[in-house]
Amino acid sequence: MTVKSLSSSPGPIGVFDSGYGGLTILSGIRRLMPEYDYIYLGDNARAPYGTRSFEVVRDFTRQAVEYLFSMGCHLVILGCNTASAKALRSFQQLYLPHIDAHRRVLGIIIPTSEVIGNITRSRHVGVLATEGTIKSHSYDIEIGKRYPDIQVTGMACPMWVPLVENNEASGDGADYFVRKYLRQLLESDAEIDTVILGCTHYPMLVPKIRRSLDELRPGVRIVEQGVYVAESLRNYLDRHPEMEVKCHRGGEVRYLTTESAEKFSENASLFLHERIEVEHVVLSDTMESI
């Protein structure tokens, strides 16, 4: 893909995730900024990303972002913590200058890290996320840059995404795994007063997470990312009018998936509470390695 092959006309804001979880990010953004056009791309055929290597996540993310660029997006949000942790920095530093230095790719870890200091009182924070995000130490690093006095404890929750994507988030079976990981997290640090949901699927489990926390340690705050990412994006566009004018205003949304369009539409209704039209797409490696 070359710069000449990319349109300079205003286009939609792209939101990418490995699956359905990024829909919670898109929903938060649309509530705050419904006037823009959006394209959501879920790489469901290759999900989950959480247990994949850094190299694989980087390649898959690059393919997805390139596809969204080809669809006219000048700005893409990685609505996936694993992609933000494993691929964002290399994409910004290595790939963007060769694709189009005027386009932008933003993640969702920094917006949450920026506000966490205003939420925790004990300065002890827990992060619940996929194995890939926890192993990347991205939250530790980003929070540490801004609030060196905050102690961050991470806990991988490998069963939570499958529970959500198999429509078991409200089932009795989910209670065991929600309580299991929360207990392990809280036992590792008795002073945690705030828990970050570091995976965009996890808001679907909030009722069970809230109930378990109230039993295990009443008063612990739950931090969901959607509202903070939306506010951060609005601030970004306010600070960068040259990018804002490249974001088309029409209030329309397109949904793309690398899996079955029918399956995506059915499962997406769990996150969006409405039926949507979905298009199937195929991602491929369009750019030589740099």
Side-chain angles (χ1 to χ4, degrees):
M1 182 178 295
T2 64
V3 174
K4 293 182 179 179
S5 68
L6 296 173
S7 171
S8 59
S9 302
I13 296 173
V15 179
F16 165 68
D17 184 32
S18 60
Y20 301 99
L23 293 170
T24 62
I25 299 297
L26 175 62
S27 294
I29 294 173
R30 289 185 66 200
R31 278 194 296 270
L32 191 63
M33 298 181 290
E35 66 272 22
Y36 294 102
D37 289 346
Y38 299 93
I39 293 183
Y40 182 88
L41 171 57
D43 190 12
N44 304 76
R46 301 188 292 195
Y49 280 15
T51 57
R52 293 187 181 273
S53 69
F54 276 75
E55 292 75 18
V56 169
V57 172
R58 283 197 292 264
D59 286 343
F60 286 178
T61 302
R62 175 167 54 82
Q63 292 168 21
V65 173
E66 288 177 4
Y67 191 92
L68 288 170
F69 282 171
S70 75
M71 298 295 290
C73 298
H74 295 268
L75 173 63
V76 173
I77 310 300
L78 300 186
C80 172
N81 283 273
T82 302
S84 295
K86 292 186 174 183
L88 179 61
R89 186 179 299 275
S90 63
F91 196 94
Q92 291 174 331
Q93 296 179 351
L94 299 177
Y95 299 119
L96 267 182
H98 295 269
I99 299 174
D100 186 339
H102 299 290
R103 297 186 186 243
R104 293 291 180 267
V105 179
L106 305 177
I108 60 175
I109 292 177
I110 289 178
T112 311
S113 301
E114 289 176 335
V115 301
I116 198 65
N118 300 323
I119 299 174
T120 176
R121 293 186 294 270
S122 70
R123 317 309 281 177
H124 289 253
V125 172
V127 177
L128 301 165
T130 64
E131 179 183 347
T133 299
I134 296 301
K135 286 185 175 180
S136 75
H137 298 287
S138 294
Y139 277 97
D140 313 48
I141 294 169
E142 295 300 336
I143 292 174
K145 288 178 182 177
R146 296 160 177 82
Y147 306 102
D149 62 317
I150 292 181
Q151 175 69 42
V152 180
T153 302
M155 179 62 59
C157 308
M159 288 300 298
W160 285 12
V161 169
L163 285 169
V164 171
E165 298 216 344
N166 286 283
N167 197 18
E168 294 292 337
S170 59
D172 294 338
D175 289 307
Y176 170 80
F177 290 104
V178 168
R179 190 176 181 86
K180 172 184 177 181
Y181 299 129
L182 288 175
R183 183 188 293 111
Q184 291 176 357
L185 175 68
L186 298 177
E187 287 177 350
S188 65
D189 185 345
E191 296 185 60
I192 288 176
D193 74 344
T194 304
V195 172
I196 296 173
L197 303 187
C199 174
T200 52
H201 284 71
Y202 295 177
M204 300 295 292
L205 292 163
V206 162
K208 291 184 181 296
I209 294 172
R210 179 73 277 160
R211 186 160 55 249
S212 290
L213 284 174
D214 286 346
E215 295 171 357
L216 295 168
R217 190 176 298 172
V220 173
R221 299 183 182 187
I222 300 173
V223 176
E224 300 180 51
Q225 295 176 294
V227 61
Y228 301 111
V229 172
E231 291 173 352
S232 179
L233 177 58
R234 182 171 64 179
N235 291 337
Y236 177 85
L237 293 176
D238 287 343
R239 289 183 287 107
H240 296 276
E242 75 284 358
M243 178 57 66
E244 196 280 334
V245 298
K246 297 179 182 179
C247 299
H248 191 269
R249 293 170 176 256
E252 297 182 356
V253 186
R254 291 178 65 184
Y255 297 93
L256 314 177
T257 178
T258 57
E259 237 273 10
S260 161
E262 181 178 354
K263 179 181 178 181
F264 185 93
S265 179
E266 179 180 351
N267 289 341
S269 65
L270 302 173
F271 294 82
L272 301 174
H273 308 294
E274 63 176 323
R275 296 289 293 185
I276 58 174
E277 292 187 5
V278 184
E279 305 167 50
H280 173 262
V281 299
V282 176
L283 299 181
S284 59
D285 211 349
T286 59
M287 192 173 104
E288 294 183 359
S289 299
I290 295 174

